[in-house]
Amino acid sequence: MAGRSSQERAALTSAKARLDRLDLYPRPVRLRPTVRILSTPWLFRLPWFSRFDGYTMWDLVLLRAPLARASADLVCHELCHVWQMQHKPLAMPLSYLYRGYASNPYELEARRAVEVTAEASPSGSVSGRELA
């Protein structure tokens, strides 16, 4: 994870550990070589982005606030989107065009992944069926 701050490495490693308890996709989320977290408050002043606190573009997680103020749940949610795009790089982002945001299955899956991993014991495993 060269090039990342210790805070960025810790946030990604922690979120990955949560997602690794899930079996949503054939392979676990990959942090290498390029998953990054950047704070871009200017982006979230734009009309489209103003409703979000985080936004993911393939392997880039953008946050409204500095990482030190971002919740672990937000990082986990956005890393789940990275994981989704690692397995469905076109279908996932395009789904927002025809499914919208609120009821988008990928959005619902990321929200549920946060809920389930926050409730599960650290050593517990959660199946994808429990997220449905």
Side-chain angles (χ1 to χ4, degrees), residues 16-23 113 116-128 130:
K16 178 179 174 24
R18 288 174 68 172
L19 295 175
D20 282 350
R21 297 193 309 247
L22 307 176
D23 65 357
V116 170
T117 60
E119 297 166 5
S121 67
S123 62
S125 175
V126 180
S127 74
E130 292 178 55

Side-chain angles (χ1 to χ4, degrees), residues 29-103:
V29 63
R30 295 177 312 277
L31 299 181
R32 293 182 182 211
T34 60
V35 176
R36 295 297 311 262
I37 300 175
L38 299 176
S39 175
T40 56
W42 59 267
L43 179 71
F44 295 93
R45 288 193 287 273
L46 299 174
W48 168 256
F49 295 95
S50 64
R51 61 187 168 152
F52 305 116
D53 288 323
Y55 197 86
T56 299
M57 296 181 194
W58 287 270
D59 59 355
L60 180 61
V61 174
L62 304 172
L63 301 177
R64 173 189 305 274
L67 181 55
R69 292 194 349 235
S71 73
D73 286 349
L74 176 61
V75 175
C76 183
H77 178 98
E78 298 304 329
L79 189 60
C80 187
H81 288 321
V82 169
W83 193 20
Q84 292 163 341
M85 285 189 265
Q86 287 175 349
H87 288 84
K88 305 205 182 243
L90 295 177
M92 187 278 187
L94 290 176
S95 71
Y96 286 86
L97 296 176
Y98 63 87
R99 298 294 296 258
Y101 177 77
S103 63

